[in-house]
Amino acid sequence: MRKNILKVCVQQDDIDHLGHMNYMKYLVYLEKGVSNWYREIGIGKEQLDQQHLGTVMVNFDVTYKKEARVNEELTIFTELRNVGNKSFYIYQEIYNEDQELLTTCKKTFVMFNTITRQGVPVVKEISELVQKENYNN
Protein backbone atom coordinates (compact mmCIF):
# COMPACT_ATOMS: atom_id res chain seq x y z
CA MET A 1 0.00 0.00 0.00
CA ARG A 2 1.15 3.51 -0.75
CA LYS A 3 1.92 5.55 2.34
CA ASN A 4 2.11 9.31 2.59
CA ILE A 5 5.42 10.37 4.18
CA LEU A 6 6.09 13.56 6.14
CA LYS A 7 9.36 14.44 7.86
CA VAL A 8 9.51 16.76 10.87
CA CYS A 9 12.22 17.76 13.32
CA VAL A 10 11.62 17.77 17.08
CA GLN A 11 12.02 21.34 18.34
CA GLN A 12 13.14 22.48 21.78
CA ASP A 13 9.61 23.80 22.42
CA ASP A 14 8.30 20.24 21.89
CA ILE A 15 10.25 18.93 24.90
CA ASP A 16 8.66 18.60 28.33
CA HIS A 17 10.19 18.59 31.82
CA LEU A 18 11.17 14.91 31.43
CA GLY A 19 13.49 15.75 28.52
CA HIS A 20 11.47 14.09 25.76
CA MET A 21 8.78 15.19 23.36
CA ASN A 22 5.51 15.93 25.13
CA TYR A 23 2.67 13.57 24.25
CA MET A 24 0.55 16.42 22.88
CA LYS A 25 3.23 17.25 20.30
CA TYR A 26 2.90 13.73 18.88
CA LEU A 27 -0.76 14.54 18.27
CA VAL A 28 0.17 17.79 16.52
CA TYR A 29 2.63 15.96 14.25
CA LEU A 30 0.12 13.19 13.53
CA GLU A 31 -2.41 15.83 12.49
CA LYS A 32 0.19 17.38 10.16
CA GLY A 33 0.57 13.92 8.64
CA VAL A 34 -3.18 13.72 7.97
CA SER A 35 -3.19 17.23 6.46
CA ASN A 36 -0.29 16.23 4.21
CA TRP A 37 -2.21 13.08 3.16
CA TYR A 38 -5.28 15.17 2.24
CA ARG A 39 -3.09 17.45 0.11
CA GLU A 40 -1.47 14.49 -1.63
CA ILE A 41 -4.80 12.98 -2.64
CA GLY A 42 -6.04 16.36 -3.89
CA ILE A 43 -8.55 17.39 -1.26
CA GLY A 44 -8.01 20.84 0.13
CA LYS A 45 -9.97 22.69 2.78
CA GLU A 46 -11.25 25.10 0.13
CA GLN A 47 -12.63 22.27 -1.99
CA LEU A 48 -14.44 20.72 0.97
CA ASP A 49 -15.74 24.13 2.10
CA GLN A 50 -17.24 24.77 -1.36
CA GLN A 51 -19.19 21.52 -1.03
CA HIS A 52 -20.11 22.26 2.61
CA LEU A 53 -18.17 19.19 3.68
CA GLY A 54 -15.67 18.30 6.34
CA THR A 55 -14.53 15.29 8.27
CA VAL A 56 -15.11 14.66 11.92
CA MET A 57 -12.97 12.26 13.93
CA VAL A 58 -15.13 9.75 15.79
CA ASN A 59 -12.43 7.42 17.09
CA PHE A 60 -8.82 8.08 18.01
CA ASP A 61 -6.42 5.45 19.35
CA VAL A 62 -2.78 6.34 19.92
CA THR A 63 -0.03 4.17 21.40
CA TYR A 64 3.27 5.62 22.59
CA LYS A 65 6.11 3.09 22.32
CA LYS A 66 9.34 5.06 22.58
CA GLU A 67 10.33 8.64 23.33
CA ALA A 68 11.45 11.27 20.84
CA ARG A 69 14.19 13.72 21.75
CA VAL A 70 15.12 17.23 20.70
CA ASN A 71 16.57 17.65 17.18
CA GLU A 72 15.56 14.15 16.07
CA GLU A 73 14.12 13.94 12.58
CA LEU A 74 10.87 12.01 12.67
CA THR A 75 9.12 10.32 9.78
CA ILE A 76 5.34 10.14 9.86
CA PHE A 77 3.67 7.52 7.68
CA THR A 78 -0.04 7.99 6.97
CA GLU A 79 -2.18 5.57 5.00
CA LEU A 80 -5.81 4.91 4.29
CA ARG A 81 -6.75 1.47 5.57
CA ASN A 82 -10.49 1.18 4.97
CA VAL A 83 -13.39 3.11 3.46
CA GLY A 84 -17.03 2.56 4.34
CA ASN A 85 -20.09 4.41 3.09
CA LYS A 86 -19.78 7.47 5.37
CA SER A 87 -16.54 6.75 7.22
CA PHE A 88 -12.90 5.93 6.61
CA TYR A 89 -10.01 4.72 8.73
CA ILE A 90 -6.46 6.07 8.66
CA TYR A 91 -3.43 4.41 10.26
CA GLN A 92 -0.26 6.31 11.14
CA GLU A 93 3.21 5.48 12.45
CA ILE A 94 6.02 7.75 13.63
CA TYR A 95 9.63 6.57 13.38
CA ASN A 96 12.86 8.17 14.56
CA GLU A 97 16.09 8.50 12.58
CA ASP A 98 17.12 4.95 13.58
CA GLN A 99 13.87 3.59 12.08
CA GLU A 100 12.58 2.76 15.57
CA LEU A 101 8.81 2.83 15.88
CA LEU A 102 7.81 5.56 18.35
CA THR A 103 4.05 5.86 17.99
CA THR A 104 1.08 4.27 16.25
CA CYS A 105 -2.27 5.91 15.70
CA LYS A 106 -5.62 4.80 14.33
CA LYS A 107 -8.21 7.41 13.39
CA THR A 108 -11.74 6.92 12.13
CA PHE A 109 -13.36 9.85 10.35
CA VAL A 110 -16.94 10.46 9.22
CA MET A 111 -17.67 12.65 6.21
CA PHE A 112 -19.87 15.46 7.48
CA ASN A 113 -22.15 18.04 5.85
CA THR A 114 -21.46 21.35 7.59
CA ILE A 115 -24.96 22.71 6.90
CA THR A 116 -27.15 19.72 7.79
CA ARG A 117 -24.68 18.56 10.49
CA GLN A 118 -25.19 14.97 9.32
CA GLY A 119 -22.92 12.23 8.01
CA VAL A 120 -22.78 11.91 4.21
CA PRO A 121 -21.11 9.47 1.79
CA VAL A 122 -17.32 9.68 1.60
CA VAL A 123 -16.15 11.89 -1.28
CA LYS A 124 -14.96 10.10 -4.42
CA GLU A 125 -11.36 11.34 -3.99
CA ILE A 126 -11.17 9.08 -0.93
CA SER A 127 -13.58 6.28 -1.86
CA GLU A 128 -11.94 5.78 -5.25
CA LEU A 129 -8.58 5.23 -3.58
CA VAL A 130 -9.84 1.81 -2.56
CA GLN A 131 -10.00 0.71 -6.19
CA LYS A 132 -6.98 2.69 -7.41
CA GLU A 133 -4.55 1.74 -4.67
CA ASN A 134 -6.16 -1.43 -3.33
CA TYR A 135 -6.15 0.19 0.12
CA ASN A 136 -8.77 -2.09 1.70
CA ASN A 137 -7.31 -4.79 3.91
Side-chain angles (χ1 to χ4, degrees):
M1 279 187 240
R2 189 178 74 179
K3 295 180 182 180
N4 177 271
I5 299 169
L6 177 67
K7 295 199 180 273
V8 296
C9 185
V10 178
Q11 303 298 308
Q12 183 62 49
D13 290 347
D14 299 338
I15 303 301
D16 64 19
H17 70 282
L18 297 174
H20 59 219
M21 189 165 76
N22 181 274
Y23 75 98
M24 290 299 293
K25 293 298 182 172
Y26 287 86
L27 305 181
V28 170
Y29 288 152
L30 289 165
E31 191 58 27
K32 287 182 183 203
V34 170
S35 295
N36 195 55
W37 176 79
Y38 274 112
R39 276 190 300 278
E40 182 182 275
I41 65 170
I43 300 176
K45 181 182 177 334
E46 299 80 21
Q47 179 185 356
L48 290 175
D49 286 348
Q50 287 174 356
Q51 299 176 57
H52 305 290
L53 295 175
T55 56
V56 84
M57 189 179 347
V58 295
N59 190 16
F60 182 68
D61 181 21
V62 63
T63 301
Y64 301 97
K65 298 181 174 286
K66 190 169 176 66
E67 64 185 357
R69 306 294 296 260
V70 71
N71 296 325
E72 279 189 309
E73 183 178 74
L74 306 181
T75 303
I76 303 165
F77 293 97
T78 303
E79 68 179 323
L80 181 66
R81 287 279 178 99
N82 193 19
V83 177
N85 180 38
K86 296 180 182 181
S87 66
F88 58 97
Y89 155 55
I90 288 178
Y91 178 76
Q92 295 180 283
E93 294 176 332
I94 299 178
Y95 288 85
N96 66 13
E97 297 165 348
D98 297 323
Q99 282 69 56
E100 296 172 305
L101 180 61
L102 305 183
T103 306
T104 62
C105 182
K106 301 171 188 174
K107 297 177 181 176
T108 303
F109 295 91
V110 170
M111 190 63 53
F112 185 75
N113 182 296
T114 58
I115 294 174
T116 66
R117 314 304 286 175
Q118 298 292 315
V120 296
V122 174
V123 294
K124 67 178 180 171
E125 291 86 351
I126 295 173
S127 63
E128 288 178 353
L129 287 176
V130 175
Q131 292 84 29
K132 286 181 187 174
E133 300 291 337
N134 194 21
Y135 274 102
N136 260 340
N137 290 349

